[in-house]
Amino acid sequence: EVFFNAACDWYLDEYELAGLLVGLAVYNSVVLEVRLPVVAYKKLLAHTGEFEPSLSDLQELDADLAKGLRQLLAFDGDVENTFCRTFEDDDPSSSLPGATVELMPNGASTNVTSENREDYVNALCDYRLKEAVRTQFDRFAKGFWRVLGQSSIERVVEAEELRVMVQGDEAPLDWAALQDVCAYEGFGEIHGEESDGAEDSSDS
């Protein structure tokens, strides 16, 4: 799955065009080879209100980060001196290595503690899923709602339903189950082996 690139803010017309194409696909019931996470569709359906991101939404994009944040929330000990975090995150718009952005006023000098760790997690989710990609997503949403703005789609579908409307609902192949019911013919001949091996495989 792909999400919006927070560091890319110079192809905004292309983001709007992509949204327009996705909107046309929904309008015409055409399935696209698009792999957006469910959180992207939550954001689209919340275009008339305010999207409130959660840790589960962040997990779609960065499972390792979400796991670490859950450990932070569940930690029973000295959070401040064990995790040594402040209210900052990596700055995707900067080309300087190690550049950060503050998640709140004076965030660089505000340590994450047992008392404020929920605020930190909420601020980080908000930044990653909203603020960091606001410019790119707003243009994508503008294109999408240019097609569907007069429809009632945001009132009749959920995010997962909208994802299926755009991407289809293709379940991943179960290769183990497929192997159990398949017969391999001619494989041995291709590799210069005796045909008996191929026949044995097909018999099984």
Side-chain angles (χ1 to χ4, degrees):
E1 294 179 339
V2 296
F3 197 58
F4 299 86
N5 187 348
C8 181
D9 58 1
W10 54 88
Y11 291 123
L12 297 180
D13 289 342
E14 282 77 2
Y15 279 110
E16 186 171 342
L17 177 59
L20 183 68
L21 291 174
V22 172
L24 286 170
V26 173
Y27 184 81
N28 292 289
S29 300
V30 175
V31 173
L32 296 177
E33 284 294 323
V34 174
R35 291 295 176 264
L36 291 172
V38 175
V39 64
Y41 297 103
K42 288 183 180 180
K43 287 169 65 66
L44 275 175
L45 293 176
H47 79 291
T48 55
E50 190 63 21
F51 169 67
E52 295 297 336
S54 68
L55 193 50
S56 296
D57 295 325
L58 181 63
Q59 183 172 345
E60 277 197 283
L61 306 182
D62 194 331
D64 290 336
L65 175 59
K67 180 180 178 180
L69 293 176
R70 287 195 170 92
Q71 291 173 342
L72 171 67
L73 291 173
F75 186 70
D76 184 15
D78 187 348
V79 170
E80 182 174 355
N81 292 307
T82 300
F83 289 87
C84 300
R85 295 194 183 195
T86 56
F87 276 69
E88 296 177 281
D89 192 20
D90 296 334
D91 185 355
S93 63
S94 176
S95 59
L96 298 175
T100 61
V101 59
E102 293 184 314
L103 301 175
M104 60 177 288
N106 300 316
S109 57
T110 304
N111 294 328
V112 177
T113 66
S114 298
E115 290 73 25
N116 65 18
R117 56 185 166 182
E118 288 189 10
D119 294 334
Y120 167 72
V121 170
N122 290 336
L124 185 56
C125 290
D126 189 81
Y127 177 72
R128 288 286 182 103
L129 299 175
K130 288 175 57 178
E131 298 306 322
V133 296
R134 183 180 294 277
T135 300
Q136 296 84 351
F137 184 82
D138 283 353
R139 290 296 294 269
F140 177 82
K142 179 181 178 181
F144 182 85
W145 291 113
R146 277 180 61 186
V147 180
L148 298 169
Q150 301 302 315
S151 73
S152 59
I153 186 172
E154 74 272 20
R155 297 192 295 272
V156 299
V157 300
E158 300 292 335
E160 176 60 27
E161 293 175 296
L162 182 56
R163 184 196 68 80
V164 172
M165 292 171 68
V166 174
Q167 303 174 195
D169 193 23
E170 296 179 357
L173 286 174
D174 186 338
W175 292 106
L178 187 63
Q179 187 175 26
D180 289 341
V181 298
C182 284
Y184 301 93
E185 298 181 358
F187 183 78
E189 296 175 4
I190 294 175
H191 287 75
E193 300 173 3
E194 295 182 1
S195 59
D196 291 344
E199 292 174 358
D200 291 341
S201 298
S202 62
D203 290 339
S204 60

